[in-house]
Amino acid sequence: MNELWQCRICKSIITRDQIDGQCKTCKNNTCNHCKRTCDRCQEICCMLHMEAKIVMRQQQPYVHKLCWTCREVW
């Protein structure tokens, strides 16, 4: 029988095998629901430490998902 856990970040009820990574900013474990990957540095972050940045390329909007560190550098 699988043990049920509650994610510290998104409060989802998950099983132990759904814990998917660790946020590089807050160091909390992320589940497969709240895990995000930064488009620039390819590091794992939780959904609370990601931000979308919209830029225009050839008159089309393009969305970059950036962690807090890469957002400050941009």
Side-chain angles (χ1 to χ4, degrees):
M1 182 171 155
N2 284 340
E3 200 175 330
L4 294 178
W5 293 50
Q6 184 176 18
C7 179
R8 292 182 185 178
I9 298 166
C10 67
K11 306 301 183 208
S12 297
I13 303 297
I14 57 172
T15 58
R16 188 178 179 104
D17 62 338
Q18 290 177 317
I19 296 174
D20 211 18
Q22 186 178 31
C23 177
K24 78 171 193 173
T25 306
C26 65
K27 305 297 185 214
N28 282 329
N29 291 328
T30 59
C31 68
N32 57 359
H33 303 291
C34 62
K35 177 182 134 182
R36 306 288 189 268
T37 304
C38 178
D39 287 340
R40 187 166 186 220
C41 67
Q42 301 299 314
E43 292 284 334
I44 296 172
C45 289
C46 65
M47 65 183 185
L48 303 175
H49 294 111
M50 292 293 286
E51 187 172 304
K53 181 162 180 77
I54 301 171
V55 294
M56 296 297 282
R57 289 189 182 164
Q58 299 177 350
Q59 299 178 354
Q60 296 290 325
Y62 184 75
V63 179
H64 291 281
K65 295 178 291 188
L66 301 173
C67 64
W68 283 10
T69 307
C70 293
R71 181 194 67 184
E72 294 297 325
V73 173
W74 190 286

